[in-house]
Amino acid sequence: MTSDKVTPDWVRSRKGDDHKLTLLPAYDATFGGFLDQAGIDLILVGDSLGQLVQGHENTLPVTVEDILYHLRCVRRSVKRGLLVGDMPFMSFQISREEAVRNAGRLIKEGGAEAVKLEGGVDVAETIQALSRAGIPVISHIGVQPQSVLLTGQFRASRGKAMDDVRKLIEDARAVEKAGAFAVVVEAVPESVGKKITEAVSIPTLGIGAGPHCDGQVLVTHDLLGLFTAFKPKFAKRYAELAQTIDEALKEFIQEVQDQSFPDDSHSYHLKDEDLLKKIEEL
Ligand code: KIV
């Protein structure tokens, strides 16, 4: 099933089977195309764009309009993967009506096929309202970046005390019951990721939640080595693109300075000898 369109139903049916789901964020058409053509199952226009595209310290300033803009860009290049729009801070917390209105905009105006929102038991009624409105929902439990003002910029992983583990399982069960078709689990010990995965019948998509989850998530900029200021323990780098980019830019500067660029093979040449002569005589 690599060429058929990914749907929420297909994602839900991967629970417990051999196909491990993959989810990565993209913020523009170029990267949306890379991810889709490589076969990534779920492509998220995540509010991590606050840091990685907009240069903010955290995700809090990201607006519905920002997510919409990037969704439209990514929409144009994603064909097979399920396109998911992140619900930014304050787009779903104020009331269920606002949550449905904003999620509806991500679907209608941005072309998203599902939305993701942070929270467990606390957002269960919102997930229920979205599901009733026909909007497929992924929830995001464990470390929740939108809670940075409560938890601090350098967030510790979750699930290190028994009460917290119980709360995480309660969260996962609540979002499943409310109608979520998958749940992102961020930064919990792998034993807790396993327990959560066993506790629900929807797929768990782990980001720093160990190997037992039904799928894996990374931030694309971490995976490709594009973001190097900080590396969470769980983030594996499959490439060192920041280094490759730096080397390419320095080589360009050097070749411009020593005038080896542009050479003949990167210049246009007139074939009309008469015209060439006239230009030279000008
Ligand atoms: O915003 C984002 O990119 C995310 C993923 C890391 C799950 O929430």
Side-chain angles (χ1 to χ4, degrees):
M1 167 77 199
T2 44
S3 57
D4 293 349
K5 180 79 191 93
V6 176
T7 63
D9 262 355
W10 182 80
V11 170
R12 199 189 286 112
S13 344
R14 300 288 61 78
K15 178 76 185 178
D17 84 2
D18 284 347
H19 181 92
K20 291 274 188 182
L21 295 158
T22 50
L23 181 153
L24 291 178
Y27 317 112
D28 62 32
T30 303
F31 273 82
F34 282 140
L35 269 46
D36 201 45
Q37 278 154 36
I40 297 298
D41 298 316
L42 299 103
I43 298 175
L44 169 75
V45 174
D47 63 357
S48 50
L49 69 84
Q51 286 126 310
L52 296 168
V53 179
Q54 298 175 330
H56 294 298
E57 267 192 15
N58 54 48
T59 60
L60 302 187
V62 177
T63 65
V64 171
E65 298 304 326
D66 294 334
I67 298 285
L68 274 174
Y69 172 81
H70 291 278
L71 262 174
R72 288 190 201 106
C73 298
V74 177
R75 177 70 284 171
R76 295 182 189 114
S77 62
V78 170
K79 310 281 181 247
R80 173 192 171 264
L82 187 79
L83 184 60
V84 184
D86 221 354
M87 298 285 288
F89 184 57
M90 282 302 132
S91 68
F92 61 93
Q93 291 91 340
I94 294 165
S95 70
R96 286 200 284 284
E97 287 72 18
E98 278 205 43
V100 174
R101 189 175 306 115
N102 285 324
R105 289 192 69 201
L106 301 193
I107 305 277
K108 282 167 76 94
E109 298 172 41
E113 296 157 314
V115 301
K116 174 174 87 59
L117 53 81
E118 292 183 14
V121 171
D122 50 329
V123 295
E125 287 183 5
T126 304
I127 293 175
Q128 212 167 24
L130 293 168
S131 305
R132 266 198 224 113
I135 299 173
V137 182
I138 299 178
S139 95
H140 181 152
I141 64 169
V143 167
Q144 296 168 29
Q146 289 176 18
S147 301
V148 62
L149 297 181
L150 294 172
T151 54
Q153 191 69 31
F154 299 102
R155 299 175 288 271
S157 58
R158 291 272 318 270
K160 289 184 186 150
M162 209 45 226
D163 280 355
D164 200 29
V165 174
R166 282 202 190 90
K167 169 79 172 77
L168 286 164
I169 292 173
E170 213 183 299
D171 279 339
R173 286 192 172 134
V175 301
E176 174 186 15
K177 190 158 174 243
F181 71 94
V183 53
V184 169
V185 182
E186 179 163 346
V188 301
E190 51 101 24
S191 47
V192 177
K194 182 168 187 279
K195 269 285 159 225
I196 296 172
T197 301
E198 289 166 356
V200 290
S201 61
I202 53 173
T204 52
L205 306 170
I207 171 162
H212 307 288
C213 294
D214 302 295
Q216 294 295 327
V217 180
L218 279 176
V219 172
T220 308
H221 282 51
D222 288 337
L223 181 158
L224 295 176
L226 275 168
F227 179 78
T228 53
F230 167 72
K231 189 176 102 50
K233 178 178 166 59
F234 60 76
K236 178 169 176 185
R237 276 196 201 145
Y238 288 81
E240 295 292 346
L241 291 197
Q243 201 179 313
T244 306
I245 290 171
D246 185 57
E247 284 164 11
L249 297 176
K250 287 186 173 139
E251 196 177 337
F252 168 69
I253 294 169
Q254 181 56 41
E255 290 196 357
V256 171
Q257 297 312 318
D258 68 21
Q259 297 179 37
S260 57
F261 177 83
D263 56 9
D264 261 5
S265 67
H266 295 97
S267 303
Y268 296 107
H269 296 283
L270 278 175
K271 293 207 173 82
D272 181 336
E273 295 290 330
D274 281 351
L275 179 60
L276 192 57
K277 213 163 159 214
K278 283 182 193 146
I279 292 171
E280 275 166 9
E281 283 165 7
L282 267 181

